[in-house]
Amino acid sequence: MKPLIVCADDYAQSLAIDAGIIHLIQQNRLSAASCMVLSPRWAEAAKSLTPEIRNKADIGLHLDFTQFGDANAHPVLIARSLLRCLPAQTIRLSIHRQLDRFEDALGTAPDYVDGHQHVHQLPQIRDALLDILKQRYSKKLPWIRIAKPPASDGFKGKIIKLLGANALESKAKSMGFDCSGDLLGVYSFTGDSKDYEKLLGAWISAANNSLGTPALMCHPAIDKLGSEINDPIYAARLNEFLVLNSNNFHSLLQTVKLTRKPH
């Protein structure tokens, strides 16, 4: 069977997200979770990433330049990176700070690195990130999630890929990093749970025809009062959790080999 990484984004963003992700890892529905270590919740959220959870899923850094800390507007960050006018020292300091916070809370390096809104693949950021990871973790490199949606994921997927997926993958592999294959799970965050279930079935089918080890990203959350504040995709998160926690998704997982890292 085709190996597939099922990876939940945004751990530590809110209690609702954290509860949903932990539950799905315990139920063997996820094999990776990406952490937002600049969140005010991080120190508390990290306590739930117990040895039992880490034995079931890879725990990675969700590199963040747009949500917490010294946040940038995403379009502005993209424009400045494409023009190569982001302050290099600021980028490096932020990456080190986030890796330090991950290590301080969990006692280990991240198993992998990706980016909130895929910022890890942008010009300037990707080069600094790979150089720092190589310096800090030369004896055991984390793997890199590549934001390379297949052509079938439409216009949004093409834009994500064009913002640096191929350049990140090429440089990472040349430096000895393992990389995931196609990034599945890109959609508009609209529709209901039935719509998401159909998309999920299509992504699982696509995984079986992918090169490398594809990663299916998701954004689940359990309904928690107040967690919808400042979360524009909260309704989609609830739909995703409902489907990922269902018997139908359990059946879909029998057609692939759930794995924690690229093979």
Side-chain angles (χ1 to χ4, degrees):
M1 291 188 291
K2 183 72 175 181
L4 173 67
I5 301 162
V6 182
C7 179
D9 286 3
D10 305 335
Y11 187 81
Q13 181 174 316
S14 74
L15 176 60
I17 292 169
D18 302 346
I21 289 174
I22 292 296
H23 177 86
L24 291 171
I25 291 174
Q26 290 171 332
Q27 297 302 312
N28 300 311
R29 306 300 178 90
L30 300 175
S31 58
S34 304
C35 301
M36 305 190 77
V37 301
L38 297 180
S39 167
R41 272 194 52 77
W42 169 238
E44 182 64 28
K47 295 175 183 177
S48 296
L49 299 175
T50 61
E52 177 192 4
I53 293 297
R54 299 205 69 179
N55 283 333
K56 285 177 169 286
D58 271 16
I59 304 300
L61 173 66
H62 202 44
L63 188 70
D64 176 23
F65 283 90
T66 61
Q67 183 78 20
F68 296 109
D70 297 325
N72 301 267
H74 192 222
V76 174
L77 183 75
I78 291 172
R80 295 188 71 192
S81 72
L82 292 174
L83 292 170
R84 271 67 173 182
C85 63
L86 291 173
Q89 185 64 10
T90 300
I91 292 171
R92 296 185 67 86
L93 287 173
S94 182
I95 293 170
H96 277 298
R97 179 189 176 201
Q98 293 181 59
L99 291 168
D100 288 345
R101 287 177 65 86
F102 189 101
E103 291 182 34
D104 289 346
L106 297 181
T108 69
D111 296 314
Y112 68 96
V113 177
D114 59 23
H116 185 58
Q117 298 182 308
H118 316 293
V119 298
H120 66 307
Q121 70 181 6
L122 294 173
Q124 293 188 271
I125 294 175
R126 63 177 178 250
D127 294 324
L129 174 64
L130 294 177
D131 289 345
I132 289 169
L133 293 176
K134 187 77 171 183
Q135 291 166 10
R136 291 179 66 129
Y137 311 121
S138 59
K139 293 183 179 179
K140 186 181 179 183
L141 295 174
W143 59 271
I144 307 296
R145 194 178 84 181
I146 305 298
K148 188 172 62 174
S152 58
D153 272 357
F155 181 74
K156 183 177 179 180
K158 290 176 183 175
I159 293 298
I160 291 171
K161 181 178 178 180
L162 285 172
L163 289 174
N166 289 340
L168 174 62
E169 181 179 34
S170 177
K171 181 167 183 176
K173 287 183 174 179
S174 74
M175 295 174 68
F177 291 88
D178 290 330
C179 297
S180 60
D182 285 348
L183 180 68
L184 307 170
V186 175
Y187 74 114
S188 64
F189 297 115
T190 58
D192 59 18
S193 60
K194 291 295 184 183
D195 296 316
Y196 184 72
E197 186 172 63
K198 291 177 184 176
L199 289 170
L200 202 54
W203 292 325
I204 296 291
S205 296
N208 283 301
N209 298 314
S210 296
L211 297 176
T213 305
L216 171 59
M217 69 172 176
C218 57
H219 310 79
I222 291 175
D223 193 11
K224 295 284 185 181
L225 185 64
S227 292
E228 73 281 0
I229 298 173
N230 298 323
D231 189 347
I233 66 166
Y234 186 66
R237 294 185 191 277
L238 300 183
N239 288 333
E240 290 190 28
F241 178 82
L242 186 66
V243 176
L244 294 168
N245 197 43
S246 69
N247 290 333
N248 286 348
F249 183 60
H250 176 73
S251 297
L252 282 173
L253 283 180
Q254 308 315 303
T255 66
V256 293
K257 181 181 179 182
L258 190 63
T259 189
R260 294 169 52 163
K261 52 180 56 69
H263 296 285

